Amino acid sequence: MPSYLGGHWRDRRLKTGGGTPRRAPRRSGLQSRVVKPNILVTGGAGYIGSHTVRLLLRQGYGVTVVDNLSRGHRHNVDAERLRMVDLADTERLGRVFAERAFAAVIHFAAYIAVGESMRVPELYFANNVGGSLSLLTAMVRAGVKHMVFSSTAAVYGMPAAVPIREDSPYAPVSPYGDSKVMVERLLHWFDEIHGLRSISLRYFNASGADAESGLGEEHEPETHLIPLLFRAILTGKPATIFGDDYPTPDGTCIRDYIHVNDLAQAHILAVESLLAGGRSDAFNVGTGSGYSVREVVSAVEDVTGKKVPYVVGPRREGDPAELVADSTKLRHTLNWTPRDPALRDIVSSAWNFERKRGS
Ligand SMILES: NC(=O)c1ccc[n+]([C@@H]2O[C@H](COP(=O)([O-])OP(=O)(O)OC[C@H]3O[C@@H](n4cnc5c(N)ncnc54)[C@H](O)[C@@H]3O)[C@@H](O)[C@H]2O)c1
């Protein structure tokens, strides 16, 4: 597993609020360390949030996590940094902001299941939009002016052109996708009116794990392909492939799988950009390579050495044939490069986690 502790990231010198880098006093002879700011991470007990917290800590940031554990796991966060607070509780958020000086918020906390949002949209608008509004209100009150926001490829709906660029129009086809559009709009107005700068990262398919640190994907219910294929292998209950009559080479949907650590690193680069005075913006985060569902099945069989039991069902409403990111803007503007773009490596890291979890 390539490490984000090495290479140029280790040598970055972070500027806070456009000022000069803050340094700790020399601890001994030759040793010195850059003291990095405190970041508040919402949803840090979840899948992507916990990987980002781990990376932030390893790169020297102070981290406090806000999570109500509605969908996350206590074991993903050190007890002393977890604040069990619901986003809707603006007053309690205010007390967390008062604990220490936070330079930025990375905002993961949300409900994430497209299918559930089609059945109970009110849950998604209340939690994802209402929760974000409460958080932004608490940030304004506390004078915290930087946010990195978890957005999604679902803001584009059924894109007219692939790979998708950031200037493709908003066209969400689910309450989930629309809840993220609404938060991006909130962020626009909070910048205009309150000077709160933000970067929205529109993720494609987050996948893989940092099994070494015991972190991985544990959604309940699970809706993501790679863990569902593992489940099919482990239980013998067939997974369902939703449609094999799409206009793609093998008829199944094509998606862009991005390793969760590469995604986590994009958040840190986004925070650094904002703290160095960068403007509000939105970026796609994907590798730019698409894999069909059948190709993912083959990769899973290859890595595990086991056949995946599956059946082919009908298409799901609102599933585009192909979703692949054009991430040129992120690569050029924030100097981001995925370290683990190969599907086989992503699947292999996820399988390592699955085996550790089961043992
Ligand atoms: N997983 C993906 O492939 C993917 C793709 C695109 C976008 N995203 C976005 O990334 C973010 C994180 O996704 P994830 O896969 O890590 O999800 P997750 O469900 O594993 O984590 C979300 C966390 O937020 C917490 N949370 C939810 N509502 C809360 C509230 N009101 N107050 C406090 N905590 C709350 C949950 O307890 C959970 O720990 C989400 O915003 C999601 O929309 C994920």
Side-chain angles (χ1 to χ4, degrees):
M1 165 69 56
S3 164
Y4 284 105
L5 288 177
H8 61 284
W9 284 308
R10 187 184 50 199
D11 299 325
R12 277 177 168 265
R13 291 294 181 262
L14 188 75
K15 291 187 175 184
T16 54
T20 47
R22 285 188 281 154
R23 286 174 189 279
R26 279 187 184 278
R27 289 185 301 174
S28 67
L30 295 172
Q31 203 178 20
S32 72
R33 197 165 69 88
V34 176
V35 173
K36 295 194 177 175
N38 298 316
I39 311 293
L40 189 139
V41 178
T42 75
Y47 170 48
I48 306 168
S50 60
H51 283 81
T52 306
V53 167
R54 174 196 150 276
L55 211 56
L56 283 164
L57 291 171
R58 292 188 71 178
Q59 294 183 20
Y61 289 88
V63 179
T64 297
V65 168
V66 163
D67 199 302
N68 64 1
L69 298 183
S70 57
R71 307 261 164 127
H73 304 279
R74 193 182 286 277
H75 59 244
N76 280 344
V77 195
D78 298 335
E80 78 275 4
R81 68 180 86 257
L82 175 64
R83 304 290 175 273
M84 278 262 291
V85 177
D86 192 293
L87 286 185
D89 193 338
T90 319
E91 303 308 320
R92 282 193 68 197
L93 285 175
R95 293 204 283 280
V96 178
F97 280 116
E99 285 180 19
R100 58 213 285 210
F102 290 99
V105 172
I106 306 183
H107 177 31
F108 293 100
Y111 293 153
I112 70 159
V114 174
E116 182 183 51
S117 82
M118 298 295 283
R119 293 190 304 277
V120 231
E122 56 276 21
L123 206 58
Y124 278 70
F125 294 122
N127 198 44
N128 296 5
V129 186
S132 297
L133 182 56
S134 166
L135 173 65
L136 286 165
T137 304
M139 286 176 69
V140 169
R141 287 182 189 163
V144 179
K145 298 277 189 176
H146 308 106
M147 175 186 276
V148 176
F149 171 59
S150 292
S151 191
T152 168
V155 300
Y156 301 117
M158 313 283 262
V162 178
I164 306 168
R165 289 164 40 117
E166 290 82 354
D167 54 10
S168 303
Y170 286 140
V173 292
S174 68
Y176 167 70
D178 215 356
S179 73
K180 296 290 182 171
V181 172
M182 290 178 190
V183 178
E184 289 198 10
R185 299 300 305 158
L186 290 179
L187 290 171
H188 164 76
W189 288 113
F190 272 73
D191 187 350
E192 285 283 311
I193 296 165
H194 293 301
L196 191 156
R197 280 179 294 115
S198 65
I199 289 182
S200 295
L201 296 177
R202 298 174 183 159
Y203 322 155
F204 284 62
N205 287 51
S207 43
D210 194 83
E212 175 200 319
S213 54
L215 299 175
E217 195 165 4
E218 297 179 276
H219 295 120
E220 204 48 65
E222 188 56 81
T223 56
H224 293 148
L225 181 62
I226 295 170
L228 285 175
L229 296 179
F230 292 151
R231 246 176 233 196
I233 288 175
L234 295 170
T235 63
K237 280 198 196 150
T240 303
I241 291 181
F242 297 104
D244 65 354
D245 56 351
Y246 284 93
T248 60
D250 67 18
T252 62
C253 287
I254 293 177
R255 295 289 180 268
D256 184 333
Y257 295 88
I258 161 98
H259 194 288
V260 64
N261 280 341
D262 287 325
L263 195 47
Q265 182 58 24
H267 290 77
I268 297 179
L269 294 174
V271 164
E272 290 180 355
S273 165
L274 290 172
L275 296 186
R279 65 181 180 86
S280 294
D281 213 336
F283 297 92
N284 290 335
V285 196
T287 62
S289 300
Y291 294 95
S292 73
V293 174
R294 282 198 204 282
E295 285 175 311
V296 178
V297 170
S298 297
V300 166
E301 291 182 340
D302 187 30
V303 164
T304 61
K306 297 176 200 305
K307 275 290 205 219
V308 175
Y310 69 83
V311 292
V312 177
R315 291 182 180 196
R316 275 186 309 201
E317 209 180 320
D319 254 352
E322 191 172 353
L323 280 178
V324 176
D326 181 336
S327 58
T328 311
K329 187 175 160 191
L330 181 66
R331 289 168 194 260
H332 288 176
T333 314
L334 298 189
N335 204 15
W336 175 82
T337 315
R339 298 265 170 122
D340 244 341
L343 179 63
R344 199 183 185 287
D345 294 340
I346 290 175
V347 169
S348 175
S349 70
W351 181 237
N352 284 343
F353 170 71
E354 205 63 44
R355 279 191 310 186
K356 275 196 179 171
R357 185 154 80 122
S359 62

